[in-house]
Amino acid sequence: MGVFEIEGNGFVYDGKPVRMISGAMHYFRIVPEYWKDRLWKLKACGFNTVETYVAWNVHEPREGCFNFEGMADLERFIRLADELGLYVIVRPSPYICAEWELGGLPSWLLADSDMRLRCSYKPFLDKVDAYYDVLLPKLKPLLCTSGGPIIALQIENEYGSYGNDKAYLSHLREAMLARGMDVLLFTSDGSEDYMLQGGTLPKALMTLNFGSKPEEAFAKLLDYQPDKPLVCMEYWNGWFDHWGDEHHVRGHEDVVDVLDRILERGASVNFYMFHGGTNFGFYNGANHIDFYEPTVTSYDYNALLSESGDITEKYMAIREVIGRYTELPLPALAEMLPSPPLPKRSYGEVRLTERAVLFDCWDQLSSPVYSVFPETMERLGQAHGFIWYETELTGPQEACEIIIQDVRDRALIYIDGVYQGLAERWGSDSVTVTIPAQGAVLGILVENMGRINYGSQLRDIKGITVGVKAGTRQYNQFLFGWQIRTLPLDDLSGLRFSAPPIGKAAEEGPVFYRGAFSVDEPADTFLKLEGWTKGVAYVNGFNLGRYWEKGPQQTLYIPGPLLHAGDNELIIFELQGLKESKVLLQDYPVLG
């Protein structure tokens, strides 16, 4: 057992002074086989603490159904850190931001149209309490007061950027204390006055999040908390990417300078991120400042370790600075690491020789639901993926405008199975079509591109959220009577593939393509999808995430543990079309 506590303007552990030099990495963004490698590299860099968020939607994907296995095995991750002699900071807030889907909140909360998030609305607090009843007992034996490595827990995350409900913050704090969380509790916020006024509690340590100007930030913190340690809980040493933007890079010279100024003040620091990892599957979040912007699959973050765990120039520069303020674990980096850098392999070209057209395999993926109006994903119990809406149109109608009111997020529109155009949340909401005299079938395939993870538009329901109209922009009518199919695409085992007709190597989409490739020695590799448009890729049933030709990301990371010696299966769900049904497995990433 140990006690980590505040003494004056510093921290002590069992009475001995200690400064937190921490790095963030999220167990749910890294395959478990690589957790120890990443933690070793953190310690070898001179860090004494690892920090992780806890994503509620990973652990309770459906209400009352909990998952703490595989990539969700939080306890194993914390015990590995303990074995390596690291302290652990856990941020188990209901909300985590983290550029993660809905900021970590489970989407099933949104099935209740009356639900209010991140406030003292009792139905929301009841859901949080039920989650804490399962989560926090798992953390109790891992607290430093119980002999474990966890020295601190976060109450809420950047709450002052969202609201000012002190009753909500107090409820979370009391809920933690009631379940035995007897370690240091803290909040983290930006350095604006309204953030610190809205997001903090008198009985919790205030910490700051920033990427530059540490003197100004700490001066503001001292205005509110003059007698406590200075902590930068998120030192933003890199940044994340949105689809269609530039790949973000922050030079290590600037990062080193700011770190030196933080440490010179005697402050503790947590790098966000030390190692970013990957938004596997459909777990990427999105932002909405001026318009909706979904985050890419890679969470490389231009961090100290690359997405695939490689040591960067930034890592070595930061290690040198830390060495000025604390004794490094060992004089030579190589002595600390358990193995050389993880190998990368190029497995060459892979041809996808089989296909399954979405419109031919509905019943292999889902069952139809009938509704008077287009229902949202959440109301149908769906978290991620795609959703199909179908209805009958009467004819004849010339220049008939199909208007999707408030689509979230990207819709492909079909008449009698023939593609007509796109409606996008950030662009046009309609297409114009001709309906023959006998009428036609209108089909709409909507993709959930990731729920908003930050800001006032957090309540981000998916699918067609208002309705579909047909006619002209001035004179139109809502369409009623829909057949709907949920397509979470979390299990593709029921698909029946076949070779394409002779002379037809590729369909326009949406089509599932399947191919096999042989591996002698499994190693990390990167999937290059040149000539493909947009979709999702799977290796041996594991969802690698989204790809999109608009970039900046051009490859998908495949960790070696997802492969096995011998034949491996690759499935790609292409939405719109491709030049040729082949891909490349290469030994380096292309992120910008």
Side-chain angles (χ1 to χ4, degrees), residues 18 55 116 137 149 249 267 281 336 370 407 457 589:
V18 62
R116 296 296 181 264
V249 174
M336 176 59 74
Y370 297 93
V407 64
Q457 301 194 52

Side-chain angles (χ1 to χ4, degrees), residues 116-306:
R116 296 296 181 264
L117 306 174
R118 300 182 73 192
C119 66
S120 52
Y121 178 60
K122 189 175 185 304
F124 177 65
L125 296 181
D126 289 344
K127 307 298 187 188
V128 174
D129 285 340
Y131 168 54
Y132 278 1
D133 283 341
V134 176
L135 172 69
L136 296 185
K138 293 179 180 296
L139 298 181
K140 175 63 177 174
L142 300 170
L143 303 179
C144 63
T145 49
S146 302
I150 299 175
I151 57 173
L153 295 168
Q154 180 172 268
I155 295 172
E156 233 275 4
N157 186 62
E158 297 183 323
Y159 185 66
S161 300
Y162 180 82
N164 66 350
D165 188 346
K166 299 291 186 175
Y168 166 58
L169 294 179
S170 295
H171 179 93
L172 295 182
R173 180 180 180 276
E174 294 307 313
M176 290 181 173
L177 293 174
R179 291 164 178 82
M181 301 297 104
D182 56 351
V183 294
L184 178 71
L185 301 180
F186 67 91
T187 59
S188 64
D189 288 280
S191 57
E192 298 291 329
D193 283 306
Y194 77 93
M195 296 176 181
L196 290 169
Q197 291 162 14
T200 59
L201 281 175
K203 295 181 180 179
L205 177 70
M206 301 180 190
T207 70
L208 289 182
N209 301 341
F210 58 79
S212 60
K213 301 179 180 178
E215 295 83 5
E216 295 179 22
F218 285 142
K220 178 61 67 176
L221 180 60
L222 289 170
D223 287 342
Y224 287 86
Q225 184 179 257
D227 58 345
K228 296 290 192 300
L230 296 175
V231 181
C232 176
M233 187 51 66
E234 289 187 17
Y235 171 35
W236 305 320
N237 58 93
W239 207 245
F240 55 92
D241 295 337
H242 292 132
W243 290 113
D245 279 356
E246 296 286 326
H247 174 52
H248 286 87
V249 174
R250 182 178 179 185
H252 64 262
E253 296 88 354
D254 177 41
V255 173
V256 162
D257 175 62
V258 174
L259 174 64
D260 199 26
R261 289 150 58 192
I262 290 172
L263 296 180
E264 191 176 37
R265 289 293 305 271
S268 290
V269 63
N270 177 53
F271 274 71
Y272 193 96
M273 298 289 295
F274 174 81
H275 172 51
T278 308
N279 298 315
F280 291 118
F282 297 120
Y283 275 114
N284 67 276
N287 287 96
H288 196 305
I289 307 301
D290 298 318
F291 54 93
Y292 174 81
E293 296 181 281
T295 303
V296 303
T297 297
S298 170
Y299 202 62
D300 177 87
Y301 211 85
N302 192 229
L304 281 68
L305 294 185
S306 73

Side-chain angles (χ1 to χ4, degrees), residues 349-354 514-518 567-570:
E349 182 179 283
V350 180
R351 292 196 168 271
L352 292 94
T353 57
E354 298 178 296
R514 184 170 70 175
F517 61 98
S518 183
D567 288 340
N568 292 262
E569 179 189 67
L570 175 64

